Amino acid sequence: MRHDHIISAKQLSRADIASVLDRAAEIDEDPGAVADRHSGKLLGTLFFEPSTRTKMSFTAAMKRLGGDIVDMGPVDQSSVKKGESLADTVRVVEGYADALVMRHPLEGSAKMASEFVDVPLINAGDGAGQHPTQTLLDLYTIRESAGFDDLTVGIMGDLKYGRTVHSMAHALTNFDAQQHFVSPESLKLPRGVRYDLHEAGASMREHTDLNEVLDTLDVLYVTRIQRERFPDENEYREVAGQYQIDADTLAAAKDDLVVMHPLPRVDEIAPDVDETDHAHYFQQAHNGVPVRMALLDLILEDST
């Protein structure tokens, strides 16, 4: 895996993905084998947006590799509050760390920031753009629970603003996967994402009704309506709550359907789904630690 920076799922080949997932499986089986592998290394974390799973799992991953983190802290307690530019911030923090992880509300910010630093920079989400490490842990979850052969995946919810969707859709073009996108008309995949998927030869269809395809799916990837991305609160209210599933919904699904969600959820998956064999989203979140351990291990190994 020879990338200076991890900015987009589009840059990851099938071989790149396999190298991360294979390393994650090794780590998952024997975490103690890598406990001191990166002793003395520091990961700089710069989160300009709220985060629970991504930030905590990167922190856990680095510490489980024997390293540590230096954290920028809340934006309102940083020099950003004083007007410091993103370029200056990352150039400063680069001097304190061996690699950087950054989340930012503006699409394209990770790519821009990567042009100002020499240490590896990992995009932990840039607005409605990309979230490549979420995609890697999603793919690990799919491989462990459903496999990649002759795969039919439904992706439902906010496809316009959902960065996890954009990354996942691109990554799935590396595999024998049929993709069904289910959303309100107003939250369909952006035109640019659709174009890129067609160029990559994706097998894909768009729907407004989950029932059209539910019984064909091996994986159902549910996403939250991204309220914070909507420029107009009224636009959000028009679609909020339209796409929800519960245990009754899944009665029509295959017995081995895998239901996933990048979390946090609001009301799009009812709590009664948690008690079914379909629910894989909490394990999916837990998979963030071995997968991010694997990615950091490979990046820090290549940068030494």
Side-chain angles (χ1 to χ4, degrees):
M1 178 140 180
R2 299 285 173 180
H3 296 294
D4 292 333
H5 308 294
I6 306 297
I7 304 300
S8 168
K10 289 189 280 187
Q11 77 189 84
L12 299 174
S13 68
R14 183 166 181 158
D16 289 331
I17 293 166
S19 67
V20 175
L21 302 195
D22 289 347
R23 183 70 62 92
E26 294 171 7
I27 290 171
D28 222 354
E29 189 170 332
D30 184 12
V34 295
D36 297 314
R37 183 170 288 173
H38 295 289
S39 177
K41 294 287 181 67
L42 291 174
L43 178 68
T45 52
L46 303 95
F47 281 73
F48 295 82
E49 268 191 331
S51 172
T52 301
R53 281 154 298 280
T54 302
K55 187 173 183 179
M56 289 187 72
S57 62
F58 263 116
T59 300
M62 192 63 188
K63 291 189 174 187
R64 288 183 183 275
L65 289 169
D68 210 336
I69 67 157
V70 284
D71 180 37
M72 181 183 77
V75 171
D76 62 1
Q77 296 176 26
S78 74
S79 291
V80 176
K81 187 74 172 176
K82 303 174 184 176
E84 184 174 60
S85 69
L86 178 59
D88 282 0
T89 297
V90 295
R91 280 188 286 199
V92 168
V93 180
E94 172 191 25
Y96 308 146
D98 301 286
L100 304 177
V101 174
M102 189 183 87
R103 170 171 291 186
H104 198 279
L106 296 180
E107 186 172 345
S109 56
K111 178 72 173 78
M112 187 276 282
S114 71
E115 296 171 359
F116 290 92
V117 297
D118 293 321
V119 301
L121 184 144
I122 301 170
N123 180 11
D126 61 331
Q130 289 272 323
H131 196 348
T133 67
Q134 177 69 46
T135 293
L136 287 168
L137 73 90
D138 293 342
L139 292 174
Y140 184 73
T141 305
I142 291 173
R143 190 176 80 166
E144 296 299 299
S145 56
F148 287 140
D149 296 327
D150 192 24
L151 188 66
T152 303
V153 180
I155 304 178
M156 184 179 82
D158 185 348
L159 312 185
K160 180 178 181 179
Y161 298 112
R163 58 194 174 204
T164 62
V165 169
H166 305 160
S167 291
M168 171 67 90
H170 286 299
L172 284 172
T173 63
N174 288 288
F175 303 95
D176 179 20
Q178 239 185 2
Q179 301 188 61
H180 293 276
F181 297 98
V182 183
S183 72
E185 285 290 338
S186 62
L187 292 179
K188 290 173 63 174
L189 284 172
R191 182 180 300 175
V193 175
R194 291 202 305 273
Y195 175 82
D196 287 345
L197 293 177
H198 283 301
E199 287 292 294
S203 174
M204 58 175 286
R205 291 183 61 193
E206 294 181 279
H207 313 267
T208 56
D209 187 351
L210 175 63
N211 292 321
E212 293 176 12
V213 294
L214 178 60
D215 61 352
T216 72
L217 302 180
D218 302 304
V219 175
L220 174 60
Y221 192 92
V222 183
T223 66
R224 174 177 64 89
I225 303 297
Q226 307 274 306
R227 183 173 191 168
E228 66 274 19
R229 309 274 177 227
F230 279 71
D232 182 350
E233 179 70 14
N234 290 327
E235 183 188 354
Y236 167 75
R237 290 195 184 116
E238 286 177 9
V239 296
Q242 284 190 25
Y243 286 75
Q244 300 173 337
I245 63 168
D246 56 22
D248 288 341
T249 308
L250 299 179
K254 293 180 180 180
D255 291 342
D256 58 355
L257 171 71
V258 174
V259 176
M260 299 171 59
H261 192 303
L263 302 180
R265 65 175 164 180
V266 181
D267 57 5
E268 57 277 5
I269 298 180
D272 63 2
V273 177
D274 301 354
E275 307 308 316
T276 71
D277 291 337
H278 298 299
H280 282 66
Y281 28 88
F282 292 116
Q283 183 58 47
Q284 178 186 353
H286 298 161
N287 287 339
V289 174
V291 170
R292 288 177 170 125
M293 285 176 72
L295 182 64
L296 289 170
D297 187 29
L298 290 164
I299 286 175
L300 292 170
E301 180 180 82
D302 285 348
S303 64
T304 54

